[in-house]
Amino acid sequence: MLDTAKLDAVMSRCPVMPVLVVNDVTLARPMAEALVAGGLSTLEVTLRTPCALEAIEEMSKVPGALVGAGTVLNPSDMDRAVKAGARFIVSPGLTEALAKASVEHDVPFLPGIANAGDIMRGLDLGLSRFKFFPAVTNGGIPALKSLASVFGSNVRFCPTGGITEESAPDWLALPSVACVGGSWVTAGTFDADKVRQRATAAALFTV
């Protein structure tokens, strides 16, 4: 059985979950340190680069960091991510195979959804927490408001995709939103001071 409480603990930890694409593993630890120092400690490392799994291992060594894996596409990805130290799993979509694998690994699983049919399939699998992705191109705040009105307060979301520092507070103001995913915090050439400053600003957002 999927444990919603464990996923809620992940989603409620910080208002913004940085979505990280790590191309240089030597930057993994200082990036995590800067984010945690700024108040964002829930880190999604996407499996989009050759060093992603190693980055998860390095970031997991940072005190206070809760590191998960994103762009998890299949059970094999999940298995490798969990072995690397990922403590939660984020996927761009929803499959029964991933849902079952998350139960086997006893790891919080946040699947991506784009429409009502996706949410209904998730509910059938015992899921009630979803990543609304890609948030902006799927209709933005009006679309999520419409979906949330159908499924009620038991279903909550982490919108990700196209969300900016400027728009994040508007998303977080929605009752159905537990947190947002964003890549702006670490955008551009890595600068630890700049990342810490952006994280500090984002950590002050309210849900």
Side-chain angles (χ1 to χ4, degrees):
M1 186 68 180
L2 293 159
D3 191 335
T4 301
K6 288 184 178 180
L7 186 51
D8 281 342
V10 173
M11 296 175 72
S12 64
R13 188 178 170 102
C14 302
V16 176
M17 184 186 302
V19 179
L20 310 173
V21 180
V22 183
N23 292 292
D24 181 352
V25 73
T26 65
L27 298 179
R29 190 158 184 168
M31 185 181 294
E33 289 171 343
L35 289 165
V36 171
L40 297 184
S41 57
T42 311
L43 314 179
E44 176 191 339
V45 180
T46 62
L47 302 187
R48 302 180 193 174
T49 65
C51 68
L53 293 173
E54 192 175 355
I56 290 172
E57 293 177 358
E58 287 300 308
M59 288 185 168
S60 296
K61 298 174 183 176
V62 175
L66 181 69
V67 185
T71 322
V72 174
L73 305 180
N74 51 58
S76 177
D77 283 348
M78 186 181 294
D79 183 60
R80 292 184 297 122
V82 170
K83 287 178 179 176
R87 294 171 62 188
F88 63 92
I89 299 295
V90 184
S91 175
L94 168 63
T95 68
E96 184 176 353
L98 279 172
K100 289 181 176 179
S102 70
V103 173
E104 292 172 3
H105 285 290
D106 190 26
V107 61
F109 172 49
L110 184 64
I113 60 89
N115 53 51
D118 290 343
I119 296 172
M120 291 167 69
R121 284 190 292 275
L123 291 171
D124 285 344
L125 292 168
L127 297 159
S128 60
R129 305 294 185 263
F130 303 100
K131 168 183 173 178
F132 180 50
F133 177 80
V136 172
T137 56
N138 271 325
I141 288 175
L144 186 55
K145 279 185 175 179
S146 295
L147 288 171
S149 69
V150 172
F151 293 100
S153 60
N154 187 49
V155 175
R156 305 205 74 199
F157 302 92
C158 173
T160 305
I163 294 173
T164 65
E165 183 176 9
E166 293 72 28
S167 67
D170 294 331
W171 286 93
L172 290 166
L174 300 181
S176 62
V177 170
C179 61
V180 299
S183 58
W184 80 84
V185 187
T186 58
T189 302
F190 176 70
D191 180 311
D193 288 337
K194 186 176 292 185
V195 168
R196 179 181 50 77
Q197 291 168 8
R198 290 175 182 166
T200 299
L204 295 175
F205 294 156
T206 56
V207 179

